[in-house]
Amino acid sequence: QLIMSLNSSALLNEENPQAPKRNTECLEHLELQTPSSFQDNPLQQLQLASQEVLEKAKKSGRSKCPRCSSSRMFYCYSCFVPVETVPTKEIPTVKLPLKIDIIKHPNETDGKSTAVHAKLLAPDDVTIYKYPCIPEYQEKRHEIALIFPGPNSVSVKDIAFHLQKYTEESGCGNDDDCSKEPFLKKAKTEPKEEEENLNACVSGNRSEGTRLKKIIFIDSTWNQTNKIITDERLQGLLQIELKTRKTCFWRHQKGKPDTYLSTIEAIYYFLVDYHQEILKEDYKGQYDNLLFFFSFMYTLIKNAKCCAGKE
């Protein structure tokens, strides 16, 4: 286990609120560097709102949650709100193109989870559920997808094709009126041609889109996901895998590939791919602020490792 002279667990491992105070000698001489100061920092190109409010909060230490009065750093992971030293008006808000449900494993440590970042930064579009209290999804499976790697998972660019199959199976060609004609009705074609035609049709009609209305993420360690992914309420949903991204998470789980992302990374990278592959729009940083807290903590911990002589 990596021991940092900065003792960053006092700053970031909120699951241990009784951790020793920070090593002030190191901290006083450790100003937060910009991400670009690290050659290997993949977050350096993000278009982020000013993080000055987080720098000030870091220097002042823990503060109270305005709702439950618990002592926290930056935000309360129980109430999903910033602490008193981090004014809500100074936290960016991100508008998402679809709704997100996060299903959190009951044994997942609240202070370690990055799911709260999504709720803090996109409060109108993100809902967090603690398993086993989750919605019923079956009746809407033609407009919902689940982010999870597996043998039947598809890439983001293939969402339209596979959701259309669910639409045809359910007999619903419209979100609110199943009596209308199916969204896409055509003569039988070869599989490859069928997929190309469908994707072209979907991409050319933004009002119809892909019919994807909600995306589900599971928030747990990879060893705990089996309990949730096998739940009957999630069976039959389209599964999507993010295969090309690598994690920057400082709590990467041993023995797992670096393509296994933290929850907030998975949300961010999915939305970037969705924006480009499905909405067919140039990505100009619209969702970068979802990594507002994540990138700050990444840099903070990397600086701590340098201060401790670990890198």
Side-chain angles (χ1 to χ4, degrees):
Q1 181 179 1
L2 181 61
I3 307 289
M4 303 178 189
S5 63
L6 176 60
N7 198 353
S8 65
S9 62
L11 290 172
L12 304 174
N13 288 4
E14 295 285 3
E15 70 276 9
N16 184 15
Q18 302 303 320
K21 293 183 179 180
R22 295 166 291 178
N23 184 317
T24 54
E25 181 179 354
C26 179
L27 184 60
E28 288 172 357
H29 295 283
L30 180 62
E31 292 300 323
L32 186 67
Q33 302 174 36
T34 59
S36 59
S37 64
F38 301 113
Q39 295 181 356
D40 60 342
N41 184 357
L43 307 177
Q44 63 183 339
Q45 300 300 322
L46 294 175
Q47 300 179 40
L48 299 172
S50 171
Q51 295 175 321
E52 183 179 358
V53 63
L54 299 183
E55 294 184 35
K56 290 180 179 178
K58 172 180 70 71
K59 292 177 180 179
S60 62
R62 289 174 175 269
S63 180
K64 285 185 178 181
C65 168
R67 293 186 182 176
C68 69
S69 297
S70 297
S71 176
R72 301 282 190 253
M73 177 63 73
F74 304 130
Y75 55 81
C76 179
Y77 47 76
S78 302
C79 302
F80 308 143
V81 294
V83 295
E84 292 179 348
T85 55
V86 182
T88 302
K89 64 181 180 180
E90 296 187 42
I91 300 299
T93 300
V94 184
K95 180 60 181 176
L96 307 185
L98 39 69
K99 300 298 182 182
I100 288 178
D101 281 359
I102 300 174
I103 302 175
K104 185 175 178 296
H105 192 283
N107 293 336
E108 177 70 2
T109 304
D110 290 342
K112 289 184 176 181
S113 172
T114 62
V116 63
H117 297 183
K119 183 61 178 176
L120 284 162
L121 298 164
D124 295 336
D125 297 317
V126 175
T127 304
I128 298 178
Y129 297 94
K130 180 169 286 190
Y131 187 83
C133 298
I134 65 174
E136 297 286 346
Y137 293 110
Q138 285 300 316
E139 292 184 3
K140 295 288 186 179
R141 72 188 188 104
H142 58 287
E143 58 186 34
I144 298 175
L146 171 67
I147 299 295
F148 194 80
N152 299 318
S153 298
V154 304
S155 63
V156 173
K157 67 182 179 64
D158 293 329
I159 289 175
F161 175 70
H162 291 279
L163 281 183
Q164 176 59 23
K165 290 183 177 180
Y166 288 4
T167 301
E168 293 171 347
E169 289 173 4
S170 67
C172 292
N174 181 275
D175 292 329
D176 302 314
D177 187 355
C178 293
S179 64
K180 295 184 179 181
E181 288 296 313
F183 168 58
L184 191 63
K185 190 173 183 179
K186 58 184 181 303
K188 185 176 181 180
T189 58
E190 292 299 317
K192 184 176 182 180
E193 181 183 352
E194 178 185 8
E195 182 171 349
E196 291 175 350
N197 290 343
L198 177 59
N199 286 333
C201 180
V202 168
S203 299
N205 192 333
R206 286 290 308 280
S207 63
E208 293 291 347
T210 63
R211 301 205 160 275
L212 182 62
K213 303 298 182 184
K214 180 175 292 184
I215 194 79
I216 303 170
F217 293 83
I218 296 175
D219 184 49
S220 74
T221 63
W222 286 101
N223 292 331
Q224 294 174 336
T225 56
N226 187 63
K227 181 177 181 179
I228 297 178
I229 197 63
T230 56
D231 189 288
E232 61 180 9
R233 290 167 290 183
L234 299 180
Q235 302 312 299
L237 294 178
L238 177 65
Q239 293 186 11
I240 301 169
E241 183 172 4
L242 306 175
K243 302 178 181 179
T244 62
R245 309 292 190 173
K246 294 184 178 181
T247 186
C248 296
F249 196 32
W250 45 90
R251 295 193 186 96
H252 182 64
Q253 298 168 50
K254 293 182 179 180
K256 302 299 181 183
D258 56 7
T259 53
Y260 279 23
L261 307 171
S262 67
T263 302
I264 194 62
E265 287 177 299
I267 292 173
Y268 169 73
Y269 286 126
F270 166 79
L271 289 171
V272 172
D273 289 347
Y274 180 85
H275 194 86
Q276 296 173 317
E277 298 285 353
I278 303 301
L279 301 185
K280 299 297 182 182
E281 296 182 3
D282 292 336
Y283 183 69
K284 300 179 180 179
Q286 291 90 333
Y287 315 120
D288 282 11
N289 274 321
L290 286 174
L291 298 179
F292 180 76
F293 291 104
F294 184 90
S295 63
F296 185 88
M297 293 178 176
Y298 173 89
T299 303
L300 186 64
I301 288 179
K302 193 167 183 67
N303 280 339
K305 291 179 181 179
C306 291
C307 182
K310 298 296 182 181
E311 292 189 358

